[in-house]
Amino acid sequence: MLNYFLPSQYAKSVFDITPEMLTEKGVKGIITDLDNTLVEWDRPSATPELTQWFQSMKNAGIKVIIVSNNNKNRVQSFAEPLGIPFIFEARKPLTRGFQKALYMMDLRKEEVVVIGDQLLTDVLGGNRLGLHTILVVPVAQTDGLWTRLNRKVERKILNIMRRKGMIYWEE
């Protein structure tokens, strides 16, 4: 059961995930969370550094789609100026949003990674579908109410996994 919460990979931030690293593994697409994965949950738009990261993925031929549990206004106002497709109110960890993203990118699950900051939504949802999951450190120390509750549960799961020797990174 704990394996569903175990990410395939860990990175400090999306900026540690390079196009070269992904293409070496045959990755052609990224399903990424938005809030606290790409930018702080209350930041309305992409930073210049993040815009450059998206461009580097595009230049490498890697498709990117944002799959978020947030509402349409939040996700659309962030993604549209960047020309990035998106799925809002995805209800992660349910797999429907991930499946829709695979369909929209026209890629197989073996060609896609999921990047996110939460075990209970991004990692669990991606793992349930058999996708390669990459857990990143949240970009902000603050969260919305539901995410704060999730983080408490996540800390307990991480502690159990750490005691069992399942994880090797430091938070």
Side-chain angles (χ1 to χ4, degrees):
M1 178 67 178
L2 280 177
N3 286 333
Y4 277 113
F5 299 101
L6 186 64
S8 312
Q9 197 175 335
Y10 173 80
K12 289 213 184 258
S13 84
V14 294
F15 303 115
D16 293 331
I17 303 167
T18 65
E20 297 79 20
M21 177 184 99
L22 295 176
T23 54
E24 225 173 74
K25 294 180 179 185
V27 172
K28 297 178 181 175
I30 295 170
I31 297 171
T32 184
D33 179 46
L34 171 56
D35 295 321
N36 275 349
T37 296
L38 299 175
V39 295
E40 298 85 352
W41 64 276
D42 55 353
R43 180 185 290 271
S45 56
T47 63
E49 186 181 20
L50 185 60
T51 302
Q52 185 177 350
W53 183 82
F54 283 128
Q55 189 60 49
S56 71
M57 293 301 169
K58 184 177 180 181
N59 292 346
I62 297 172
K63 299 175 182 179
V64 178
I65 187 167
I66 295 171
V67 176
S68 174
N69 283 347
N70 214 324
N71 64 57
K72 182 178 182 179
N73 288 342
R74 163 64 175 146
V75 184
Q76 184 175 32
S77 65
F78 180 90
E80 276 191 348
L82 299 165
I84 296 174
F86 61 91
I87 297 168
F88 61 94
E89 295 174 358
R91 299 179 63 207
K92 297 178 290 185
L94 299 179
T95 59
R96 183 190 55 154
F98 296 104
Q99 290 171 324
K100 185 175 179 183
L102 290 171
Y103 176 79
M104 289 171 66
M105 290 189 290
D106 192 27
L107 295 173
R108 298 183 329 262
K109 62 183 177 181
E110 299 80 22
E111 300 172 311
V112 175
V113 297
V114 174
I115 301 172
D117 68 305
Q118 289 190 65
L119 292 178
L120 296 180
T121 55
D122 310 306
V123 173
L124 177 58
N127 284 348
R128 288 181 67 219
L129 199 55
L131 296 164
H132 184 93
T133 53
I134 304 174
L135 180 67
V136 296
V137 176
V139 296
Q141 295 305 310
T142 61
D143 287 304
L145 174 64
W146 290 112
T147 305
R148 282 197 307 268
L149 295 172
N150 277 353
R151 298 266 187 235
K152 287 181 182 190
V153 174
E154 285 180 356
R155 277 192 292 279
K156 290 178 193 242
I157 293 169
L158 284 168
N159 285 334
I160 292 167
M161 289 193 298
R162 193 171 285 111
R163 282 196 309 271
K164 291 184 176 273
M166 296 173 73
I167 57 175
Y168 55 88
W169 65 83
E170 293 297 319
E171 287 184 51

